[in-house]
Amino acid sequence: MAPGVIYERVYNKKIPRLSHVLTIDPSLVTLEAGPARPSLPGLETTTSMSDANGAIAAVNGDFGLLPGRPAHLFARDGELYQTSVIGG
């Protein structure tokens, strides 16, 4: 994929389940967390988010709730974007 990134598909025959695994070297790769859009609400696919940000890979880090808010607490660079809505 890129220097410092290894992608593997791991299939477990017992379950059966296919997992996609990224192994990264943090000395060579920068990780960035971000919301789907610059402001809430917003829903996007991981593919469209990675394309828009020039990423080589994307991982969905939370569930989105309609009308497009993250289900769990999310903060980036010290700014709170969303408080938890689970159990509330």
Side-chain angles (χ1 to χ4, degrees):
M1 293 192 73
V5 180
I6 299 170
Y7 168 72
E8 297 175 85
R9 292 171 28 147
V10 179
Y11 185 72
N12 183 334
K13 293 179 185 177
K14 292 181 182 180
I15 295 178
R17 177 177 35 210
L18 175 64
S19 298
H20 301 271
V21 179
L22 285 176
T23 304
I24 64 154
D25 179 343
S27 69
L28 298 174
V29 178
T30 300
L31 299 177
E32 178 74 30
R37 297 198 176 162
S39 62
L40 295 175
L43 294 171
E44 292 289 340
T45 65
T46 52
T47 300
S48 67
M49 291 170 64
S50 66
D51 289 348
N53 291 284
I56 58 169
V59 177
N60 188 359
D62 198 2
F63 295 100
L65 302 174
L66 293 176
R69 302 186 79 75
H72 299 91
L73 179 87
F74 176 73
R76 180 174 65 178
D77 298 330
E79 182 179 347
L80 183 62
Y81 279 74
Q82 171 72 30
T83 58
S84 176
V85 294
I86 298 298

